[in-house]
């Protein structure tokens, strides 16, 4: 059986989890549940990063011993993860002895390889990032992430010979194109490697909170060097050889995957430093590091230090975990940033859950209840429906395999639309008047089969709701593996349970929330035509929509300033120009239809406006990552959107 060892970043415990940190854990949980569903052996690991100075400071502020404080925070984190239905198999803390053993072993191996040496570090240090900051990484003397002035420190440090591993890392990247994903992060890391690497500090002097260096117990291991080792520690490194052999040492053999899921802000540590540490220790590298985007709130990274946090439990208290899990998975293109707002969340709750999936469950169970005393009589499969399902299932699975979690969800929701349409077109309320029950049974059975399969496909995202749907359909709540579940059944009558709506529709707010920008009213259904079974007859997807968008919709579009670095006409195309652009934090390739209006030389060095969070698209075989903004009257000559004064690449346009 193939194996997946899946990890998330381990969290600092100076604050409780927020929606941004929860997003990562929910995404990882969706991935873990998908792999389990398709029959893989999964070990999903999360944990807490405790040896940070901020954690030490927070404990002291609360008059607590740091370890006792971390014990308390472990309880709080575990409670949040349990309420979000996150199904990790192991939870590691960096103060545990298994972790300390692994850290000491790793340091010993790098010492033995001659990769750790003594020196002095003098420079900036941002405690909130727990990072040594080069001068060139600061903006106006401030940390760009936390917008605070870092500390200037001078201390004895041990250094790790990161520079020694540059060529080996470049070779590994070349041999393993999927090592870092998505492509934008891989390109960013490649640029970094190509630019050369400096050695890095791996110890801190004069601190007691941390793991002592085996060769100099007066220093402690630098918190990032310490934290990265959690991934190997949880797989048994240095403590449990059989476990390590099972989950890590065999990586690289077919069917063995080690996947790290981390935020885009910490990819350098994971895609450069961590692999170099593993190479130094003579250990295999992970299969893939996926750098997901940020959850934004009003256009800013959700972060405690920026004061832009949303408590995930606020949504769980009102709606249970699943609507939030669905929103984060379906609405954020996995790999990109995505905005969260309560208005948008409630809009999607109504559209996807109350009107679409919830309505399908209600109308189907209530029709079976009313017309057939709750009995779903097994019949032959409807070939049109089963053929459509074949396509959806392939699409769903392919999307999961390439970690396109949002696309996997979207595929299932298109399937749910299809089932709602099937009911609307088949009109079981008319069939119920026939003396022959067979046509009615056939529609109810096939729609129920379609719904069962939708629930199974959505079970990684909304596990509790999927089980409840199966229960209402007269199935056991246990979810079989995909291999058996995906077969369209034609036997085994079932008895449905008719209950209250799974997701009651939320009514639009009566008063405008003065803290939010005003926006047009949420598009709602017209006076709802009802069917004899008392539910809405028109699929939500077919409602006439108000075409105006809310400010939240607008904020979903990530408009950025970019600088054109290179331009060349796409061969065999009149219109297309291939551009390499600088976005501040990364460089990208995009293809624009401006070749009839601009020569390549006119574009290089120009500052342009782009849509940065468009899904990649292939144009003439070239992957385009974004869209350049230009105006053209009636399809005539295109004019690029320009700036009065050129802002720095990467600046957000709002
Ligand atoms: N402790 C380090 C990670 C060490 S891993 C060896 C750390 N901790 S953190 O608590 O600051 O962040 C934990 C994870 O949450 C990181 O992957 C980070 O990128 C992610 N996120 C923090 N804020 C986030 C958002 N607003 N949105 C999405 N993910 C975010 O970094």
């Amino acid at each position: 059986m193939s194996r997946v060892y899946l990890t998330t970043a381990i969290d600092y415990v100076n604050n409780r989890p927020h929606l941004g940190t929860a997003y990562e854990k929910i995404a990882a949980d969706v991935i873990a549940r998908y792999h389990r569903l398709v029959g893989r052996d999964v070990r999903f690991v999360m944990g807490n990063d405790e040896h940070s100075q901020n954690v030490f400071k927070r404990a002291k502020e609360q008059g607590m011993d740091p370890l006792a404080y971390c014990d308390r925070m472990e309880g709080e984190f575990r409670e949040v993860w349990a309420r979000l239905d996150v199904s990790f198999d192991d939870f590691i803390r960096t103060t545990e002895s298994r972790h300390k053993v692994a850290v000491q072993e790793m340091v010993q191996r790098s010492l033995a390889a001659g990769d750790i040496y003594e020196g002095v570090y003098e420079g900036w240090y941002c405690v909130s990032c727990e990072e040594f900051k080069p001068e060139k990484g600061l903006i106006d003397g401030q940390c760009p992430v936390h917008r605070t002035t870092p500390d200037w420190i001078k201390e004895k440090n041990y250094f790790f010979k990161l520079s020694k591993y540059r060529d080996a890392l470049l070779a590994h990247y070349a041999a393993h194109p999927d090592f870092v994903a998505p492509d934008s992060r891989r390109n960013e890391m490649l640029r970094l490697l190509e630019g050369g690497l400096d050695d890095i500090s791996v110890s801190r002097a004069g601190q007691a909170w941390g793991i002592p260096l085996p060769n100099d117990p007066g220093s402690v291991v630098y918190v990032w060097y310490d934290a990265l080792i959690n991934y190997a520690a949880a797989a048994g490194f240095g403590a449990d050889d059989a476990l390590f052999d099972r989950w890590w040492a065999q990586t690289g053999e077919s069917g063995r995957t080690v996947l790290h899921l981390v935020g885009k802000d910490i990819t350098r540590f994971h895609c450069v430093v961590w692999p170099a540490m593993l190479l130094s220790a003579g250990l295999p590298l992970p299969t893939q590091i996926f750098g997901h985007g940020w959850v934004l709130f009003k256009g800013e990274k959700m972060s405690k230090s920026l004061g832009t946090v949303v408590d995930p439990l606020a949504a769980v208290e009102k709606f249970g975990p699943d609507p939030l899990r669905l929103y984060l998975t379906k609405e954020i293109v996995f790999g990109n940033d995505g905005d969260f707002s309560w208005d948008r969340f409630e809009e999607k709750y109504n559209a996807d859950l109350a009107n679409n999936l919830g309505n399908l469950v209600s109308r189907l169970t209530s029709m079976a209840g009313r017309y057939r005393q709750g009995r779903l009589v097994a019949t032959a499969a409807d070939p049109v429906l089963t053929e459509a399902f074949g396509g959806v299932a392939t699409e769903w699975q392919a999307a999961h395999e390439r970690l396109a979690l949002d696309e996997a969800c979207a595929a299932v929701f298109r399937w749910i639309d299809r089932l709602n349409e099937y009911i609307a077109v088949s009109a079981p309320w008319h069939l119920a008047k026939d003396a022959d029950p067979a046509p009615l049974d056939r529609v109810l059975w096939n729609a129920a089969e379609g719904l069962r399969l939708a629930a199974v496909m959505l079970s990684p995202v909304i596990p509790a709701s999927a089980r409840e749907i199966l229960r209402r359909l007269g199935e056991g709540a246990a979810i079989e593996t995909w291999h058996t579940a995906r077969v369209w059944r034609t036997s085994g009558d079932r008895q449905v349970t008719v209950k209250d709506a799974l997701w009651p529709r939320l009514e639009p707010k009566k008063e405008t929330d003065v803290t939010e920008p005003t926006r047009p009213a949420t598009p709602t259904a017209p006076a709802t035509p009802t069917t004899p079974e008392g539910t809405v007859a028109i699929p939500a997807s077919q409602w006439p929509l108000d075409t105006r968008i809310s400010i939240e919709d607008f904020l979903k579009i990530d408009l950025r300033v970019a600088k054109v670095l290179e331009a060349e006409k796409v061969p065999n195309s009149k219109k297309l120009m291939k551009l390499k652009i600088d976005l501040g934090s990364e460089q990208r390739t995009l293809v624009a239809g401006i070749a009839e209006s601009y020569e390549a030389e006119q574009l290089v060095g120009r500052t342009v406006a782009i849509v940065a969070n468009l899904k990649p698209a292939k144009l003439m075989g070239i992957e385009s990552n974004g869209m350049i903004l230009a105006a053209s009257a009636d399809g005539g000559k295109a004019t690029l959107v320009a700036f009065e004064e050129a802002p720095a690449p990467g600046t957000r346009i709002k």
Side-chain angles (χ1 to χ4, degrees), residues 134-328:
E135 186 90 34
K136 63 176 190 281
L138 306 180
I139 295 178
D140 297 332
Q142 293 198 322
C143 162
V145 182
H146 296 95
R147 299 188 201 144
T148 47
T149 307
D151 299 332
W152 182 264
I153 60 169
K154 181 176 180 182
E155 63 183 38
K156 176 177 99 174
N157 276 180
Y158 286 86
F159 287 82
F160 172 69
K161 284 188 187 163
L162 187 62
S163 55
K164 174 177 159 187
Y165 290 97
R166 172 183 174 264
D167 292 348
L169 289 174
L170 278 169
H172 189 83
Y173 272 66
H176 301 86
D178 294 331
F179 182 54
V180 173
D183 276 353
S184 52
R185 313 264 182 269
R186 176 186 152 80
N187 292 338
E188 196 185 326
M189 292 300 116
L190 276 172
R191 295 298 86 80
L192 192 92
L193 286 166
E194 282 159 6
L197 296 175
D198 294 328
D199 293 348
I200 54 160
S201 292
V202 294
S203 71
R204 297 296 316 269
Q207 286 181 17
W209 182 235
I211 300 175
L213 267 188
N215 57 318
D216 182 351
S219 294
V220 294
V221 177
Y222 165 50
V223 62
W224 264 102
Y225 197 83
D226 163 340
L228 288 162
I229 298 168
N230 91 85
Y231 302 127
F237 177 62
D240 184 340
D241 291 345
L243 192 70
F244 194 63
D245 202 47
R246 181 176 174 79
W247 293 106
W248 195 292
Q250 309 287 331
T251 308
E253 283 184 16
S254 71
R256 310 290 175 97
T257 302
V258 172
L259 171 63
H260 296 318
L261 186 62
V262 299
K264 67 175 185 181
D265 47 330
I266 58 173
T267 41
R268 187 175 64 88
F269 284 112
H270 285 83
C271 307
V272 175
V273 178
W274 174 229
M277 288 164 63
L278 289 165
L279 289 174
S280 168
L283 295 174
L285 304 194
T287 321
Q288 186 173 70
I289 300 135
F290 189 96
H292 62 76
W294 285 340
V295 180
L296 308 175
F297 188 67
K298 297 186 180 166
E300 295 278 2
K301 180 185 182 217
M302 200 170 283
S303 142
K304 180 78 186 177
S305 51
L306 299 176
T308 50
V309 292
V310 169
D311 180 357
L313 294 189
V316 173
E317 255 139 42
K318 212 163 155 200
F319 304 100
D322 288 348
L324 182 68
R325 291 175 60 105
L326 179 67
Y327 178 91
L328 294 173

Side-chain angles (χ1 to χ4, degrees), residues 494-625:
R494 301 199 284 261
Q495 185 71 30
V496 304
T497 307
V498 185
K499 279 191 175 171
D500 290 347
L502 266 171
W503 299 284
R505 188 177 157 79
L506 300 171
E507 293 313 321
K509 290 193 198 96
K510 291 206 177 62
E511 287 165 28
T512 311
D513 176 351
V514 288
T515 61
E516 291 281 332
T518 48
R519 61 188 193 90
T522 308
T524 47
T528 44
T530 53
T531 59
E533 91 275 23
T535 48
V536 181
I538 301 174
S541 56
Q542 288 172 20
W543 290 339
L545 291 181
D546 180 341
T547 52
R548 289 171 300 174
I549 61 169
S550 65
I551 187 76
E552 283 78 13
D553 284 334
F554 171 72
L555 286 174
K556 279 186 79 185
I557 306 172
D558 192 10
L559 293 173
R560 299 269 168 183
V561 175
K563 189 162 182 177
V564 179
L565 300 174
E566 290 167 19
E568 63 173 300
K569 282 188 114 173
V570 174
N572 304 323
S573 165
K574 272 201 330 214
K575 290 198 166 159
L576 297 182
M577 182 77 82
K578 180 179 164 193
L579 303 173
K580 188 162 158 199
I581 55 155
D582 179 11
L583 257 180
S585 60
E586 58 171 292
Q587 295 180 2
R588 289 194 192 176
T589 299
L590 59 80
V591 179
I594 52 174
E596 284 177 318
S597 314
Y598 292 90
E599 295 301 326
E601 307 76 66
Q602 289 176 278
L603 293 167
V604 176
R606 218 177 158 119
T607 298
V608 293
I610 70 154
V611 182
N613 61 341
L614 261 193
K615 285 187 187 176
K618 277 223 162 125
L619 298 168
M620 300 286 286
I622 305 168
E623 190 180 275
S624 179
N625 288 286

